[in-house]
PDB file of all heavy atoms in Angstrom:
ATOM      1  N   GLY A  32     -24.910 -24.379-184.277  1.00 94.00           N
ATOM      2  CA  GLY A  32     -24.981 -25.573-183.446  1.00 94.00           C
ATOM      3  C   GLY A  32     -23.904 -26.574-183.782  1.00 94.00           C
ATOM      4  O   GLY A  32     -23.298 -27.182-182.899  1.00 94.00           O
ATOM      5  N   ASP A  33     -23.629 -26.743-185.069  1.00 94.00           N
ATOM      6  CA  ASP A  33     -22.576 -27.658-185.502  1.00 94.00           C
ATOM      7  C   ASP A  33     -21.215 -27.200-184.973  1.00 94.00           C
ATOM      8  O   ASP A  33     -20.432 -28.004-184.469  1.00 94.00           O
ATOM      9  CB  ASP A  33     -22.550 -27.748-187.028  1.00 94.00           C
ATOM     10  CG  ASP A  33     -21.486 -28.703-187.519  1.00 94.00           C
ATOM     11  OD1 ASP A  33     -21.466 -29.870-187.068  1.00 94.00           O
ATOM     12  OD2 ASP A  33     -20.658 -28.280-188.351  1.00 94.00           O
ATOM     13  N   TYR A  34     -20.935 -25.915-185.067  1.00 95.00           N
ATOM     14  CA  TYR A  34     -19.645 -25.407-184.575  1.00 95.00           C
ATOM     15  C   TYR A  34     -19.541 -25.477-183.061  1.00 95.00           C
ATOM     16  O   TYR A  34     -18.463 -25.763-182.525  1.00 95.00           O
ATOM     17  CB  TYR A  34     -19.383 -23.983-185.084  1.00 95.00           C
ATOM     18  CG  TYR A  34     -18.899 -23.999-186.508  1.00 95.00           C
ATOM     19  CD1 TYR A  34     -19.767 -23.794-187.558  1.00 95.00           C
ATOM     20  CD2 TYR A  34     -17.562 -24.259-186.795  1.00 95.00           C
ATOM     21  CE1 TYR A  34     -19.321 -23.832-188.873  1.00 95.00           C
ATOM     22  CE2 TYR A  34     -17.100 -24.304-188.105  1.00 95.00           C
ATOM     23  CZ  TYR A  34     -17.989 -24.090-189.136  1.00 95.00           C
ATOM     24  OH  TYR A  34     -17.531 -24.132-190.434  1.00 95.00           O
ATOM     25  N   PHE A  35     -20.652 -25.235-182.358  1.00 95.00           N
ATOM     26  CA  PHE A  35     -20.615 -25.371-180.901  1.00 95.00           C
ATOM     27  C   PHE A  35     -20.345 -26.827-180.512  1.00 95.00           C
ATOM     28  O   PHE A  35     -19.596 -27.092-179.566  1.00 95.00           O
ATOM     29  CB  PHE A  35     -21.914 -24.882-180.261  1.00 95.00           C
ATOM     30  CG  PHE A  35     -22.074 -23.387-180.278  1.00 95.00           C
ATOM     31  CD1 PHE A  35     -23.235 -22.800-180.754  1.00 95.00           C
ATOM     32  CD2 PHE A  35     -21.061 -22.552-179.825  1.00 95.00           C
ATOM     33  CE1 PHE A  35     -23.390 -21.417-180.764  1.00 95.00           C
ATOM     34  CE2 PHE A  35     -21.195 -21.166-179.837  1.00 95.00           C
ATOM     35  CZ  PHE A  35     -22.373 -20.605-180.305  1.00 95.00           C
ATOM     36  N   ALA A  36     -20.926 -27.759-181.244  1.00 95.00           N
ATOM     37  CA  ALA A  36     -20.681 -29.181-180.964  1.00 95.00           C
ATOM     38  C   ALA A  36     -19.221 -29.537-181.220  1.00 95.00           C
ATOM     39  O   ALA A  36     -18.599 -30.272-180.437  1.00 95.00           O
ATOM     40  CB  ALA A  36     -21.599 -30.048-181.819  1.00 95.00           C
ATOM     41  N   ARG A  37     -18.658 -29.020-182.302  1.00 94.00           N
ATOM     42  CA  ARG A  37     -17.255 -29.287-182.615  1.00 94.00           C
ATOM     43  C   ARG A  37     -16.344 -28.673-181.551  1.00 94.00           C
ATOM     44  O   ARG A  37     -15.364 -29.294-181.119  1.00 94.00           O
ATOM     45  CB  ARG A  37     -16.922 -28.746-183.997  1.00 94.00           C
ATOM     46  CG  ARG A  37     -17.645 -29.521-185.099  1.00 94.00           C
ATOM     47  CD  ARG A  37     -17.634 -28.814-186.417  1.00 94.00           C
ATOM     48  NE  ARG A  37     -16.324 -28.929-187.064  1.00 94.00           N
ATOM     49  CZ  ARG A  37     -16.049 -28.376-188.229  1.00 94.00           C
ATOM     50  NH1 ARG A  37     -16.967 -27.680-188.881  1.00 94.00           N
ATOM     51  NH2 ARG A  37     -14.848 -28.501-188.754  1.00 94.00           N
ATOM     52  N   ALA A  38     -16.679 -27.458-181.110  1.00 96.00           N
ATOM     53  CA  ALA A  38     -15.895 -26.809-180.056  1.00 96.00           C
ATOM     54  C   ALA A  38     -15.992 -27.614-178.769  1.00 96.00           C
ATOM     55  O   ALA A  38     -14.978 -27.848-178.092  1.00 96.00           O
ATOM     56  CB  ALA A  38     -16.397 -25.383-179.832  1.00 96.00           C
ATOM     57  N   HIS A  39     -17.194 -28.046-178.431  1.00 96.00           N
ATOM     58  CA  HIS A  39     -17.395 -28.827-177.214  1.00 96.00           C
ATOM     59  C   HIS A  39     -16.591 -30.123-177.252  1.00 96.00           C
ATOM     60  O   HIS A  39     -15.945 -30.484-176.260  1.00 96.00           O
ATOM     61  CB  HIS A  39     -18.884 -29.132-177.029  1.00 96.00           C
ATOM     62  CG  HIS A  39     -19.167 -29.945-175.825  1.00 96.00           C
ATOM     63  ND1 HIS A  39     -19.208 -31.317-175.856  1.00 96.00           N
ATOM     64  CD2 HIS A  39     -19.390 -29.585-174.538  1.00 96.00           C
ATOM     65  CE1 HIS A  39     -19.456 -31.766-174.645  1.00 96.00           C
ATOM     66  NE2 HIS A  39     -19.564 -30.740-173.828  1.00 96.00           N
ATOM     67  N   ALA A  40     -16.615 -30.804-178.396  1.00 94.00           N
ATOM     68  CA  ALA A  40     -15.900 -32.073-178.524  1.00 94.00           C
ATOM     69  C   ALA A  40     -14.405 -31.907-178.252  1.00 94.00           C
ATOM     70  O   ALA A  40     -13.783 -32.762-177.617  1.00 94.00           O
ATOM     71  CB  ALA A  40     -16.118 -32.663-179.912  1.00 94.00           C
ATOM     72  N   LEU A  41     -13.838 -30.812-178.688  1.00 95.00           N
ATOM     73  CA  LEU A  41     -12.401 -30.579-178.482  1.00 95.00           C
ATOM     74  C   LEU A  41     -12.102 -29.986-177.100  1.00 95.00           C
ATOM     75  O   LEU A  41     -11.218 -30.460-176.389  1.00 95.00           O
ATOM     76  CB  LEU A  41     -11.856 -29.647-179.569  1.00 95.00           C
ATOM     77  CG  LEU A  41     -11.839 -30.241-180.976  1.00 95.00           C
ATOM     78  CD1 LEU A  41     -11.513 -29.156-181.988  1.00 95.00           C
ATOM     79  CD2 LEU A  41     -10.841 -31.376-181.067  1.00 95.00           C
ATOM     80  N   LEU A  42     -12.823 -28.947-176.736  1.00 96.00           N
ATOM     81  CA  LEU A  42     -12.494 -28.229-175.502  1.00 96.00           C
ATOM     82  C   LEU A  42     -12.865 -29.008-174.240  1.00 96.00           C
ATOM     83  O   LEU A  42     -12.252 -28.802-173.195  1.00 96.00           O
ATOM     84  CB  LEU A  42     -13.160 -26.848-175.496  1.00 96.00           C
ATOM     85  CG  LEU A  42     -12.684 -25.913-176.617  1.00 96.00           C
ATOM     86  CD1 LEU A  42     -13.442 -24.587-176.566  1.00 96.00           C
ATOM     87  CD2 LEU A  42     -11.180 -25.678-176.548  1.00 96.00           C
ATOM     88  N   SER A  43     -13.807 -29.931-174.337  1.00 95.00           N
ATOM     89  CA  SER A  43     -14.165 -30.723-173.158  1.00 95.00           C
ATOM     90  C   SER A  43     -13.093 -31.753-172.826  1.00 95.00           C
ATOM     91  O   SER A  43     -13.165 -32.400-171.786  1.00 95.00           O
ATOM     92  CB  SER A  43     -15.519 -31.405-173.354  1.00 95.00           C
ATOM     93  OG  SER A  43     -15.452 -32.338-174.410  1.00 95.00           O
ATOM     94  N   LYS A  44     -12.093 -31.886-173.673  1.00 95.00           N
ATOM     95  CA  LYS A  44     -10.959 -32.779-173.408  1.00 95.00           C
ATOM     96  C   LYS A  44      -9.772 -32.041-172.796  1.00 95.00           C
ATOM     97  O   LYS A  44      -8.771 -32.657-172.463  1.00 95.00           O
ATOM     98  CB  LYS A  44     -10.521 -33.458-174.704  1.00 95.00           C
ATOM     99  CG  LYS A  44     -11.574 -34.368-175.277  1.00 95.00           C
ATOM    100  CD  LYS A  44     -11.136 -34.928-176.600  1.00 95.00           C
ATOM    101  CE  LYS A  44     -12.247 -35.729-177.247  1.00 95.00           C
ATOM    102  NZ  LYS A  44     -11.875 -36.150-178.608  1.00 95.00           N
ATOM    103  N   ASP A  45      -9.888 -30.745-172.666  1.00 94.00           N
ATOM    104  CA  ASP A  45      -8.818 -29.921-172.105  1.00 94.00           C
ATOM    105  C   ASP A  45      -8.963 -29.890-170.585  1.00 94.00           C
ATOM    106  O   ASP A  45      -9.895 -29.291-170.047  1.00 94.00           O
ATOM    107  CB  ASP A  45      -8.909 -28.506-172.684  1.00 94.00           C
ATOM    108  CG  ASP A  45      -7.797 -27.600-172.189  1.00 94.00           C
ATOM    109  OD1 ASP A  45      -7.435 -27.649-170.994  1.00 94.00           O
ATOM    110  OD2 ASP A  45      -7.287 -26.819-173.010  1.00 94.00           O
ATOM    111  N   ALA A  46      -8.065 -30.570-169.895  1.00 95.00           N
ATOM    112  CA  ALA A  46      -8.164 -30.700-168.433  1.00 95.00           C
ATOM    113  C   ALA A  46      -8.199 -29.339-167.741  1.00 95.00           C
ATOM    114  O   ALA A  46      -8.961 -29.142-166.790  1.00 95.00           O
ATOM    115  CB  ALA A  46      -6.999 -31.531-167.903  1.00 95.00           C
ATOM    116  N   TRP A  47      -7.386 -28.400-168.193  1.00 95.00           N
ATOM    117  CA  TRP A  47      -7.359 -27.083-167.554  1.00 95.00           C
ATOM    118  C   TRP A  47      -8.699 -26.378-167.704  1.00 95.00           C
ATOM    119  O   TRP A  47      -9.243 -25.833-166.741  1.00 95.00           O
ATOM    120  CB  TRP A  47      -6.249 -26.211-168.153  1.00 95.00           C
ATOM    121  CG  TRP A  47      -6.112 -24.903-167.446  1.00 95.00           C
ATOM    122  CD1 TRP A  47      -5.288 -24.626-166.398  1.00 95.00           C
ATOM    123  CD2 TRP A  47      -6.856 -23.696-167.699  1.00 95.00           C
ATOM    124  NE1 TRP A  47      -5.476 -23.317-165.991  1.00 95.00           N
ATOM    125  CE2 TRP A  47      -6.426 -22.728-166.775  1.00 95.00           C
ATOM    126  CE3 TRP A  47      -7.834 -23.352-168.613  1.00 95.00           C
ATOM    127  CZ2 TRP A  47      -6.941 -21.446-166.743  1.00 95.00           C
ATOM    128  CZ3 TRP A  47      -8.355 -22.056-168.577  1.00 95.00           C
ATOM    129  CH2 TRP A  47      -7.902 -21.127-167.654  1.00 95.00           C
ATOM    130  N   LEU A  48      -9.243 -26.402-168.911  1.00 95.00           N
ATOM    131  CA  LEU A  48     -10.506 -25.719-169.166  1.00 95.00           C
ATOM    132  C   LEU A  48     -11.651 -26.384-168.400  1.00 95.00           C
ATOM    133  O   LEU A  48     -12.489 -25.696-167.815  1.00 95.00           O
ATOM    134  CB  LEU A  48     -10.803 -25.701-170.667  1.00 95.00           C
ATOM    135  CG  LEU A  48     -11.843 -24.703-171.136  1.00 95.00           C
ATOM    136  CD1 LEU A  48     -11.409 -23.268-170.844  1.00 95.00           C
ATOM    137  CD2 LEU A  48     -12.107 -24.870-172.619  1.00 95.00           C
ATOM    138  N   VAL A  49     -11.669 -27.693-168.363  1.00 95.00           N
ATOM    139  CA  VAL A  49     -12.704 -28.420-167.627  1.00 95.00           C
ATOM    140  C   VAL A  49     -12.650 -28.064-166.145  1.00 95.00           C
ATOM    141  O   VAL A  49     -13.681 -27.857-165.508  1.00 95.00           O
ATOM    142  CB  VAL A  49     -12.560 -29.947-167.833  1.00 95.00           C
ATOM    143  CG1 VAL A  49     -13.441 -30.726-166.876  1.00 95.00           C
ATOM    144  CG2 VAL A  49     -12.880 -30.314-169.277  1.00 95.00           C
ATOM    145  N   GLU A  50     -11.458 -27.978-165.598  1.00 96.00           N
ATOM    146  CA  GLU A  50     -11.302 -27.666-164.178  1.00 96.00           C
ATOM    147  C   GLU A  50     -11.597 -26.209-163.853  1.00 96.00           C
ATOM    148  O   GLU A  50     -12.218 -25.900-162.841  1.00 96.00           O
ATOM    149  CB  GLU A  50      -9.881 -28.001-163.717  1.00 96.00           C
ATOM    150  CG  GLU A  50      -9.676 -27.767-162.234  1.00 96.00           C
ATOM    151  CD  GLU A  50      -8.296 -28.165-161.754  1.00 96.00           C
ATOM    152  OE1 GLU A  50      -7.700 -29.084-162.351  1.00 96.00           O
ATOM    153  OE2 GLU A  50      -7.815 -27.538-160.796  1.00 96.00           O
ATOM    154  N   ASN A  51     -11.168 -25.303-164.728  1.00 97.00           N
ATOM    155  CA  ASN A  51     -11.256 -23.879-164.421  1.00 97.00           C
ATOM    156  C   ASN A  51     -12.434 -23.146-165.042  1.00 97.00           C
ATOM    157  O   ASN A  51     -12.789 -22.065-164.569  1.00 97.00           O
ATOM    158  CB  ASN A  51      -9.954 -23.188-164.833  1.00 97.00           C
ATOM    159  CG  ASN A  51      -8.800 -23.644-163.978  1.00 97.00           C
ATOM    160  OD1 ASN A  51      -8.690 -23.265-162.823  1.00 97.00           O
ATOM    161  ND2 ASN A  51      -7.960 -24.508-164.524  1.00 97.00           N
ATOM    162  N   GLU A  52     -13.008 -23.691-166.102  1.00 96.00           N
ATOM    163  CA  GLU A  52     -14.153 -23.044-166.746  1.00 96.00           C
ATOM    164  C   GLU A  52     -15.229 -24.061-167.120  1.00 96.00           C
ATOM    165  O   GLU A  52     -15.637 -24.149-168.278  1.00 96.00           O
ATOM    166  CB  GLU A  52     -13.696 -22.272-167.991  1.00 96.00           C
ATOM    167  CG  GLU A  52     -12.784 -21.095-167.667  1.00 96.00           C
ATOM    168  CD  GLU A  52     -12.592 -20.184-168.859  1.00 96.00           C
ATOM    169  OE1 GLU A  52     -13.612 -19.792-169.472  1.00 96.00           O
ATOM    170  OE2 GLU A  52     -11.445 -19.871-169.174  1.00 96.00           O
ATOM    171  N   PRO A  53     -15.711 -24.838-166.139  1.00 96.00           N
ATOM    172  CA  PRO A  53     -16.723 -25.850-166.466  1.00 96.00           C
ATOM    173  C   PRO A  53     -18.002 -25.246-167.033  1.00 96.00           C
ATOM    174  O   PRO A  53     -18.677 -25.867-167.851  1.00 96.00           O
ATOM    175  CB  PRO A  53     -16.968 -26.554-165.127  1.00 96.00           C
ATOM    176  CG  PRO A  53     -16.562 -25.561-164.092  1.00 96.00           C
ATOM    177  CD  PRO A  53     -15.418 -24.796-164.713  1.00 96.00           C
ATOM    178  N   GLN A  54     -18.332 -24.018-166.628  1.00 97.00           N
ATOM    179  CA  GLN A  54     -19.537 -23.374-167.147  1.00 97.00           C
ATOM    180  C   GLN A  54     -19.402 -23.083-168.635  1.00 97.00           C
ATOM    181  O   GLN A  54     -20.390 -23.120-169.372  1.00 97.00           O
ATOM    182  CB  GLN A  54     -19.863 -22.100-166.352  1.00 97.00           C
ATOM    183  CG  GLN A  54     -18.920 -20.930-166.565  1.00 97.00           C
ATOM    184  CD  GLN A  54     -17.556 -21.029-165.881  1.00 97.00           C
ATOM    185  OE1 GLN A  54     -17.259 -21.972-165.156  1.00 97.00           O
ATOM    186  NE2 GLN A  54     -16.699 -20.046-166.124  1.00 97.00           N
ATOM    187  N   ARG A  55     -18.212 -22.848-169.106  1.00 96.00           N
ATOM    188  CA  ARG A  55     -17.987 -22.604-170.529  1.00 96.00           C
ATOM    189  C   ARG A  55     -18.219 -23.889-171.328  1.00 96.00           C
ATOM    190  O   ARG A  55     -18.846 -23.864-172.390  1.00 96.00           O
ATOM    191  CB  ARG A  55     -16.555 -22.099-170.739  1.00 96.00           C
ATOM    192  CG  ARG A  55     -16.230 -21.698-172.150  1.00 96.00           C
ATOM    193  CD  ARG A  55     -14.847 -21.095-172.169  1.00 96.00           C
ATOM    194  NE  ARG A  55     -14.452 -20.653-173.473  1.00 96.00           N
ATOM    195  CZ  ARG A  55     -13.284 -20.066-173.721  1.00 96.00           C
ATOM    196  NH1 ARG A  55     -12.431 -19.858-172.734  1.00 96.00           N
ATOM    197  NH2 ARG A  55     -12.976 -19.687-174.939  1.00 96.00           N
ATOM    198  N   ILE A  56     -17.724 -25.008-170.811  1.00 96.00           N
ATOM    199  CA  ILE A  56     -17.920 -26.302-171.459  1.00 96.00           C
ATOM    200  C   ILE A  56     -19.416 -26.630-171.495  1.00 96.00           C
ATOM    201  O   ILE A  56     -19.941 -27.070-172.524  1.00 96.00           O
ATOM    202  CB  ILE A  56     -17.144 -27.415-170.712  1.00 96.00           C
ATOM    203  CG1 ILE A  56     -15.646 -27.125-170.684  1.00 96.00           C
ATOM    204  CG2 ILE A  56     -17.445 -28.782-171.317  1.00 96.00           C
ATOM    205  CD1 ILE A  56     -14.970 -27.083-172.016  1.00 96.00           C
ATOM    206  N   GLU A  57     -20.092 -26.405-170.386  1.00 96.00           N
ATOM    207  CA  GLU A  57     -21.530 -26.669-170.316  1.00 96.00           C
ATOM    208  C   GLU A  57     -22.299 -25.768-171.284  1.00 96.00           C
ATOM    209  O   GLU A  57     -23.249 -26.210-171.936  1.00 96.00           O
ATOM    210  CB  GLU A  57     -22.044 -26.471-168.884  1.00 96.00           C
ATOM    211  CG  GLU A  57     -23.532 -26.680-168.722  1.00 96.00           C
ATOM    212  CD  GLU A  57     -24.014 -28.075-169.087  1.00 96.00           C
ATOM    213  OE1 GLU A  57     -23.206 -29.027-169.111  1.00 96.00           O
ATOM    214  OE2 GLU A  57     -25.226 -28.225-169.367  1.00 96.00           O
ATOM    215  N   ARG A  58     -21.900 -24.527-171.405  1.00 96.00           N
ATOM    216  CA  ARG A  58     -22.564 -23.596-172.327  1.00 96.00           C
ATOM    217  C   ARG A  58     -22.428 -24.086-173.763  1.00 96.00           C
ATOM    218  O   ARG A  58     -23.374 -24.025-174.548  1.00 96.00           O
ATOM    219  CB  ARG A  58     -21.974 -22.196-172.184  1.00 96.00           C
ATOM    220  CG  ARG A  58     -22.627 -21.180-173.104  1.00 96.00           C
ATOM    221  CD  ARG A  58     -22.091 -19.766-172.843  1.00 96.00           C
ATOM    222  NE  ARG A  58     -22.747 -18.822-173.717  1.00 96.00           N
ATOM    223  CZ  ARG A  58     -22.312 -18.512-174.953  1.00 96.00           C
ATOM    224  NH1 ARG A  58     -21.214 -19.068-175.430  1.00 96.00           N
ATOM    225  NH2 ARG A  58     -22.972 -17.639-175.698  1.00 96.00           N
ATOM    226  N   LEU A  59     -21.243 -24.566-174.140  1.00 96.00           N
ATOM    227  CA  LEU A  59     -21.047 -25.090-175.486  1.00 96.00           C
ATOM    228  C   LEU A  59     -21.967 -26.288-175.741  1.00 96.00           C
ATOM    229  O   LEU A  59     -22.582 -26.396-176.804  1.00 96.00           O
ATOM    230  CB  LEU A  59     -19.586 -25.499-175.702  1.00 96.00           C
ATOM    231  CG  LEU A  59     -18.584 -24.362-175.780  1.00 96.00           C
ATOM    232  CD1 LEU A  59     -17.161 -24.910-175.769  1.00 96.00           C
ATOM    233  CD2 LEU A  59     -18.826 -23.503-177.014  1.00 96.00           C
ATOM    234  N   ARG A  60     -22.069 -27.178-174.751  1.00 94.00           N
ATOM    235  CA  ARG A  60     -22.944 -28.337-174.884  1.00 94.00           C
ATOM    236  C   ARG A  60     -24.394 -27.900-175.048  1.00 94.00           C
ATOM    237  O   ARG A  60     -25.109 -28.373-175.935  1.00 94.00           O
ATOM    238  CB  ARG A  60     -22.821 -29.255-173.661  1.00 94.00           C
ATOM    239  CG  ARG A  60     -23.609 -30.568-173.816  1.00 94.00           C
ATOM    240  CD  ARG A  60     -23.739 -31.305-172.504  1.00 94.00           C
ATOM    241  NE  ARG A  60     -24.502 -30.545-171.514  1.00 94.00           N
ATOM    242  CZ  ARG A  60     -25.827 -30.393-171.534  1.00 94.00           C
ATOM    243  NH1 ARG A  60     -26.552 -30.939-172.484  1.00 94.00           N
ATOM    244  NH2 ARG A  60     -26.432 -29.696-170.587  1.00 94.00           N
ATOM    245  N   THR A  61     -24.811 -26.972-174.205  1.00 94.00           N
ATOM    246  CA  THR A  61     -26.189 -26.477-174.247  1.00 94.00           C
ATOM    247  C   THR A  61     -26.488 -25.803-175.577  1.00 94.00           C
ATOM    248  O   THR A  61     -27.528 -26.051-176.190  1.00 94.00           O
ATOM    249  CB  THR A  61     -26.440 -25.497-173.082  1.00 94.00           C
ATOM    250  OG1 THR A  61     -26.209 -26.182-171.849  1.00 94.00           O
ATOM    251  CG2 THR A  61     -27.844 -24.942-173.108  1.00 94.00           C
ATOM    252  N   LEU A  62     -25.583 -24.947-176.042  1.00 94.00           N
ATOM    253  CA  LEU A  62     -25.803 -24.267-177.317  1.00 94.00           C
ATOM    254  C   LEU A  62     -25.863 -25.254-178.473  1.00 94.00           C
ATOM    255  O   LEU A  62     -26.672 -25.093-179.400  1.00 94.00           O
ATOM    256  CB  LEU A  62     -24.711 -23.217-177.562  1.00 94.00           C
ATOM    257  CG  LEU A  62     -24.814 -21.958-176.706  1.00 94.00           C
ATOM    258  CD1 LEU A  62     -23.553 -21.127-176.820  1.00 94.00           C
ATOM    259  CD2 LEU A  62     -26.034 -21.145-177.104  1.00 94.00           C
ATOM    260  N   ALA A  63     -25.021 -26.274-178.444  1.00 94.00           N
ATOM    261  CA  ALA A  63     -25.047 -27.293-179.497  1.00 94.00           C
ATOM    262  C   ALA A  63     -26.406 -27.987-179.511  1.00 94.00           C
ATOM    263  O   ALA A  63     -27.027 -28.140-180.570  1.00 94.00           O
ATOM    264  CB  ALA A  63     -23.923 -28.295-179.297  1.00 94.00           C
ATOM    265  N   GLU A  64     -26.884 -28.386-178.341  1.00 93.00           N
ATOM    266  CA  GLU A  64     -28.171 -29.084-178.260  1.00 93.00           C
ATOM    267  C   GLU A  64     -29.333 -28.171-178.634  1.00 93.00           C
ATOM    268  O   GLU A  64     -30.247 -28.580-179.343  1.00 93.00           O
ATOM    269  CB  GLU A  64     -28.373 -29.665-176.869  1.00 93.00           C
ATOM    270  CG  GLU A  64     -27.509 -30.874-176.615  1.00 93.00           C
ATOM    271  CD  GLU A  64     -27.797 -31.554-175.290  1.00 93.00           C
ATOM    272  OE1 GLU A  64     -28.600 -31.033-174.487  1.00 93.00           O
ATOM    273  OE2 GLU A  64     -27.216 -32.623-175.063  1.00 93.00           O
ATOM    274  N   GLU A  65     -29.305 -26.931-178.166  1.00 92.00           N
ATOM    275  CA  GLU A  65     -30.387 -25.989-178.461  1.00 92.00           C
ATOM    276  C   GLU A  65     -30.478 -25.671-179.946  1.00 92.00           C
ATOM    277  O   GLU A  65     -31.536 -25.291-180.435  1.00 92.00           O
ATOM    278  CB  GLU A  65     -30.192 -24.682-177.690  1.00 92.00           C
ATOM    279  CG  GLU A  65     -30.503 -24.780-176.227  1.00 92.00           C
ATOM    280  CD  GLU A  65     -30.227 -23.490-175.478  1.00 92.00           C
ATOM    281  OE1 GLU A  65     -29.721 -22.518-176.086  1.00 92.00           O
ATOM    282  OE2 GLU A  65     -30.516 -23.447-174.278  1.00 92.00           O
ATOM    283  N   HIS A  66     -29.371 -25.816-180.651  1.00 87.00           N
ATOM    284  CA  HIS A  66     -29.340 -25.437-182.063  1.00 87.00           C
ATOM    285  C   HIS A  66     -29.122 -26.631-182.980  1.00 87.00           C
ATOM    286  O   HIS A  66     -28.446 -26.546-183.996  1.00 87.00           O
ATOM    287  CB  HIS A  66     -28.309 -24.336-182.282  1.00 87.00           C
ATOM    288  CG  HIS A  66     -28.619 -23.108-181.479  1.00 87.00           C
ATOM    289  ND1 HIS A  66     -29.717 -22.315-181.727  1.00 87.00           N
ATOM    290  CD2 HIS A  66     -28.028 -22.595-180.385  1.00 87.00           C
ATOM    291  CE1 HIS A  66     -29.758 -21.339-180.830  1.00 87.00           C
ATOM    292  NE2 HIS A  66     -28.749 -21.490-180.003  1.00 87.00           N
ATOM    293  N   GLY A  67     -29.700 -27.763-182.574  1.00 81.00           N
ATOM    294  CA  GLY A  67     -29.811 -28.875-183.486  1.00 81.00           C
ATOM    295  C   GLY A  67     -28.828 -30.011-183.413  1.00 81.00           C
ATOM    296  O   GLY A  67     -28.812 -30.860-184.285  1.00 81.00           O
TER     297      GLY A  67
END
Side-chain angles (χ1 to χ4, degrees):
D33 181 53
Y34 281 97
F35 287 129
R37 292 165 76 181
H39 179 269
L41 292 170
L42 297 178
S43 64
K44 296 176 186 174
D45 182 320
W47 185 92
L48 197 62
V49 169
E50 183 177 331
N51 293 286
E52 294 192 50
Q54 71 285 357
R55 185 174 181 179
I56 300 297
E57 178 61 20
R58 180 175 181 272
L59 290 171
R60 186 193 63 75
T61 300
L62 287 169
E64 287 186 354
E65 286 177 356
H66 300 293

